[in-house]
Amino acid sequence: MTDVSPVVLDGALARTAHRRTRVGLVSGGLGAYWPQFPGLLDQLRESTRHVTGRFEEMDCEVVDAGFISDPQEAAEAAEQLRKADCDIVVTFLTTYLTASMVLPIAQRTHTPVLVIDLQPTEAMDHPNTDTGQWLAYCGQCPLPEVANVFRRSGIPFRSVSGHLHDGNAWNRIRRWISAARVRGAMRHGRHGLMGHLYPGMLDVSTDMTLVSTQFGGHLEVLEFDDLRVRVAAVTDVEATERVALARRVFTLDDSVDEGDLAWAARVSVGLDRLVDDFELDSLAYYHRGLEGEIHERLGAGMILGASLLTARGIPMAGEYELRTSLAMLIADTIGVGGSFTELQALNFRDRVVEMGHDGPAHLAISAKDPLLRGLGVYHGKRGWGVSVEFDVRHGPVTTFGVGQEADGTFTFIVSEGEVVPGPLLEIGNTTSRVDFGFDPGEWTDAWSATGIGHHWTLCTGHRAKDFKAAADLLGIPFRTVTGPNDL
């Protein structure tokens, strides 16, 4: 389920296709039952086919290692799944089996394992249930056994118990599949860094090696000259078409200068080529520039193209904010948008935190048609041009950022609130009024105390559980701010 709305973009932008989530599936039960209770194995295999179909409906690539009945078959399934390089392995306990049939799968695949037990219906028909029929309902029986062995083996344990048509169980399973999608995006992602750190922003500085060692993926170091040569190659026809796209997607304020819009359109086309040529899944950028030279003009012309790419599922963050561009990618992978954000002001009268940012935004989660405003100066940055102004869709939201500890460990940090209507800035920035349910000053203190940097991403919906699941699969510590006592 996604909160990213293509309606906001009026069909003008197509989402970029990404790698499908690869789910390994192995189902099993105790082989001693099959000769004792004819028909039981067929029933359990039918349940497995149902589970496979549900994963395929989630647009997963399912690697089915088959139905196992003993430790030898479990070892064969583990080897198949090891070679498949899955994002998550799901072990379906269809009935009782021994932990010796599950442990090698967790040990040898080197992949996070989700254990599920889904009985056929919500309850047995007790008067008409014999021993063979009952065994189809006892998939939860070995769950404590498996959990105990995982704990003693130092293997993270996670499970979902329910029945085949249990909406709550499938919502929980879907959360783990979403987390696996994040794991896949991070392991296989290509993340660009273009330009240099905004001078003095010590919190933004991020060790690229730690990104690859903790998340996986590749960091591509780019120069603004990589963009310069591509912008220079943009034709007048291409630039005109991009201006027309901007007019379809945005409402243009009277302050927009046609020359600045034409330049932003040209940079946007060049940015698309940069992303394609380097196969980027995200990009963080900044260049200070000087006295209107070409690199300053490129940096100032990024906002239109970066916002369009973010809406397509390739997030862009300014100020060289690598951890936030990664957070934006994680949020977009989950399907909840993720727009570049920082604190702007506190409104103690209305008890809201006003947050947003200048520069790129996730257009697909805008409350209404986003606005392009012309600016003669970018505060704190060199250059001038067009900037995006919008308010994130009203209703439940989650702030999400990637923090970093003294030992280099990354952390996932979230807080759930609600975007509410009210007066907004009209200065070419994104701005949203977020009510966290308690004093905005106390929220700001608690949020800052988590170790978050001064940038994060604003996402639609209450998504703490989704981000917690993603943190679990990535082995990342998780923190949440729910009240003033979280200081």
Side-chain angles (χ1 to χ4, degrees):
M1 185 176 182
T2 176
D3 285 346
V4 176
S5 173
V7 177
V8 176
L9 302 179
D10 195 26
L13 296 174
R15 297 277 296 171
T16 299
H18 292 290
R19 172 184 174 276
R20 294 172 68 198
T21 306
R22 187 172 297 161
V23 176
L25 176 63
V26 58
S27 308
L30 190 65
Y33 295 150
W34 314 149
Q36 293 177 327
F37 304 101
L40 174 60
L41 181 57
D42 289 340
Q43 180 182 357
L44 300 181
R45 283 178 166 160
E46 181 62 32
S47 294
T48 298
R49 285 190 286 271
H50 177 86
V51 168
T52 301
R54 292 296 294 263
F55 286 138
E56 290 173 344
E57 289 173 5
M58 298 179 200
D59 195 32
C60 295
E61 176 188 346
V62 180
V63 179
D64 191 345
F67 197 101
I68 61 174
S69 301
D70 55 44
Q72 292 88 343
E73 291 179 354
E76 294 174 3
E79 180 63 13
Q80 180 182 345
L81 294 174
R82 183 189 66 79
K83 294 177 181 178
D85 187 32
C86 298
D87 300 313
I88 192 171
V89 170
V90 179
T91 301
F92 180 18
L93 311 181
T94 65
T95 185
Y96 177 78
L97 47 63
T98 62
S100 64
M101 296 168 58
V102 180
L103 181 60
I105 294 167
Q107 288 177 319
R108 301 179 192 182
T109 58
H110 303 289
T111 302
V113 173
L114 171 65
V115 180
I116 66 173
D117 59 277
L118 303 174
Q119 62 189 40
T121 63
E122 60 184 353
M124 290 184 290
D125 179 9
H126 294 80
N128 299 305
T129 299
D130 60 21
T131 303
Q133 292 167 323
W134 156 65
L135 287 172
Y137 280 81
C138 74
Q140 73 290 143
C141 179
L143 193 65
E145 176 180 340
V146 172
N148 173 277
V149 172
F150 274 32
R151 179 178 289 271
R152 292 165 65 182
S153 303
I155 297 171
F157 174 77
R158 50 191 76 85
S159 69
V160 173
S161 299
H163 62 86
L164 286 176
H165 306 284
D166 182 353
N168 178 53
W170 279 108
N171 284 338
R172 289 149 58 206
I173 292 171
R174 189 175 290 107
R175 183 174 294 126
W176 287 114
I177 297 302
S178 179
R181 186 167 291 119
V182 169
R183 181 174 182 266
M186 300 304 285
R187 288 195 308 131
H188 296 276
R190 291 177 55 84
H191 315 296
L193 272 174
M194 186 170 68
H196 60 81
L197 185 72
Y198 188 106
M201 287 187 181
L202 302 182
D203 65 318
V204 168
S205 179
T206 302
D207 186 326
M208 293 186 293
T209 302
L210 291 180
V211 172
S212 293
T213 56
Q214 295 186 49
F215 290 135
H218 171 75
L219 270 294
E220 185 73 22
V221 178
L222 304 167
E223 303 283 355
F224 258 79
D225 287 322
D226 292 315
L227 178 61
R228 175 182 58 81
V229 296
R230 288 167 174 80
V231 171
V234 175
T235 67
D236 291 342
V237 171
E238 291 171 324
T240 299
E241 291 174 348
R242 188 54 53 96
V243 169
L245 173 62
R247 292 185 182 279
R248 292 201 303 274
V249 173
F250 294 91
T251 297
L252 268 61
D253 186 74
D254 292 341
S255 59
V256 172
D257 178 84
E258 290 295 331
D260 290 344
L261 177 59
W263 172 247
R266 201 169 284 270
V267 173
S268 176
V269 177
L271 192 55
D272 283 2
R273 288 181 178 161
L274 182 82
V275 165
D276 289 342
D277 290 346
F278 288 95
E279 300 178 334
L280 300 180
D281 296 295
S282 70
L283 176 68
Y285 67 90
Y286 175 76
H287 185 83
R288 181 170 58 189
L290 184 66
E291 297 180 352
E293 50 84 35
I294 183 60
H295 299 93
E296 178 184 300
R297 293 294 293 128
L298 286 168
M302 291 279 291
I303 295 173
L304 172 65
S307 297
L308 293 173
L309 279 166
T310 299
R312 283 173 42 198
I314 304 174
M316 305 274 154
E319 298 179 9
Y320 213 62
E321 182 45 290
L322 172 59
R323 294 200 311 278
T324 299
S325 64
L326 296 177
M328 292 167 67
L329 177 61
I330 290 166
D332 192 83
T333 300
I334 290 174
V336 296
S339 199
F340 194 34
T341 306
E342 67 183 358
L343 290 171
Q344 291 179 329
L346 305 180
N347 187 325
F348 291 95
R349 181 184 60 235
D350 296 340
R351 293 177 65 82
V352 298
V353 178
E354 297 183 28
M355 60 179 67
H357 209 284
D358 62 319
H362 201 310
L363 307 177
I365 62 171
S366 177
K368 56 184 179 181
D369 286 348
L371 179 80
L372 273 185
R373 186 179 294 278
L375 298 177
V377 62
Y378 292 152
H379 71 275
K381 301 181 181 71
R382 295 184 181 274
W384 64 93
V386 295
S387 190
V388 175
E389 189 174 295
F390 87 153
D391 179 18
V392 167
R393 193 180 310 146
H394 296 182
V397 291
T398 302
T399 55
F400 166 58
V402 179
Q404 191 166 21
E405 299 298 294
D407 65 358
T409 301
F410 293 125
T411 57
F412 280 10
I413 304 168
V414 305
S415 187
E416 294 180 340
E418 183 175 357
V419 171
V420 296
L424 301 171
L425 291 172
E426 297 181 357
I427 59 171
N429 285 12
T430 64
T431 306
S432 295
R433 293 158 46 91
V434 187
D435 181 355
F436 291 99
F438 60 103
D439 180 85
E442 293 183 272
W443 180 86
T444 301
D445 291 337
W447 181 246
S448 300
T450 63
I452 191 76
H454 82 279
H455 297 127
W456 52 88
T457 182
L458 187 59
C459 315
T460 54
H462 284 166
R463 300 296 178 178
K465 291 180 179 179
D466 298 276
F467 290 119
K468 185 177 182 180
D472 182 287
L473 292 196
L474 291 167
I476 301 297
F478 176 82
R479 294 176 182 163
T480 183
V481 172
T482 58
N485 295 326
D486 292 313
L487 281 168

